[in-house]
Amino acid sequence: SVRLVGTIADQYTEASLIYRYSPLKGKDFMAAWLQHLILNRQTGEHITHLISQDEYLSFLPEHIQGDELEKLLAYYHLGQKQPDAFFTEAAFAYIKQQAALNAPGSRSRVPALAKAETELSESIAKNYEAELSLLYKNLEDVDDLLNDEFEAYCLQLLLPAWEAVSV
């Protein structure tokens, strides 16, 4: 029901290669995951490699469980009609912490939501993302923003992808 139009860079015959000479950020992870989902829908089985200063991730065709692309597109469309709980860097902090908590023998005790709240608060306070600072500069607490919808989004759409590629 959706037609995507555009070009995808860094696509080669055998795989895609996305390289960033900086620590991995949530926006890098999301871009690579979306590219991987689209290419596997368009061309069949395709591998996407994401390389940063601190990570080397390989997205494989078997990491796609089914309708992730449709869910992300639906979430995008919803966000065009009303404000949503899509905070990329906070979501990335959440899934990394939740994956650490899920790991066997984990000693981590900090809840994933606390990591996400810290990330979002710092982004707003330090003007990392100008639009967040403009929208939420007078916000007392980010608890209202990082609600059940945010956690469901992280747990259902992003965490499975992160756990699959970050082994």
Side-chain angles (χ1 to χ4, degrees):
S1 66
V2 175
R3 181 173 177 234
L4 297 176
V5 178
T7 58
I8 296 178
D10 308 314
Q11 178 184 355
Y12 303 96
T13 306
E14 299 296 321
S16 294
L17 176 63
I18 302 167
Y19 178 80
R20 299 236 335 146
Y21 191 71
S22 67
L24 185 65
K25 293 182 174 52
K27 65 182 178 179
D28 305 325
F29 177 77
M30 281 300 303
W33 181 230
L34 280 169
Q35 179 171 321
H36 182 69
L37 292 170
I38 292 166
L39 286 172
N40 275 272
R41 180 66 57 86
Q42 175 191 13
T43 63
E45 292 193 358
H46 194 82
I47 298 170
T48 304
H49 299 286
L50 172 59
I51 302 171
S52 68
Q53 280 183 326
D54 55 349
E55 295 283 350
Y56 185 123
L57 305 175
S58 292
F59 297 85
L60 304 175
E62 56 265 25
H63 294 153
I64 300 172
Q65 300 300 309
D67 61 350
E68 293 96 336
L69 181 58
E70 287 78 11
K71 287 179 180 175
L72 287 168
L73 288 170
Y75 202 79
Y76 172 80
H77 282 282
L78 181 62
Q80 298 298 302
K81 296 176 185 173
Q82 66 186 33
D84 61 12
F86 187 86
F87 299 101
T88 307
E89 300 308 323
F92 191 56
Y94 182 100
I95 63 171
K96 288 193 324 184
Q97 181 61 17
Q98 189 60 52
L101 290 168
N102 292 348
S106 173
R107 295 177 190 244
S108 183
R109 298 288 176 245
V110 178
L113 192 56
K115 284 282 193 179
E117 289 169 353
T118 300
E119 175 65 36
L120 184 56
S121 294
E122 287 180 10
S123 292
I124 293 169
K126 294 182 180 176
N127 203 20
Y128 290 151
E129 298 174 67
E131 65 278 7
L132 292 180
S133 297
L134 287 172
L135 288 170
Y136 303 116
K137 64 183 173 186
N138 295 324
L139 185 68
E140 293 289 324
D141 194 3
V142 295
D143 290 356
D144 296 336
L145 299 175
L146 303 181
N147 54 24
D148 292 342
E149 181 185 356
F150 172 81
E151 283 197 277
Y153 167 78
C154 290
L155 293 170
Q156 295 168 10
L157 290 176
L158 299 181
L159 183 61
W162 177 254
E163 288 182 328
V165 300
S166 67
V167 290

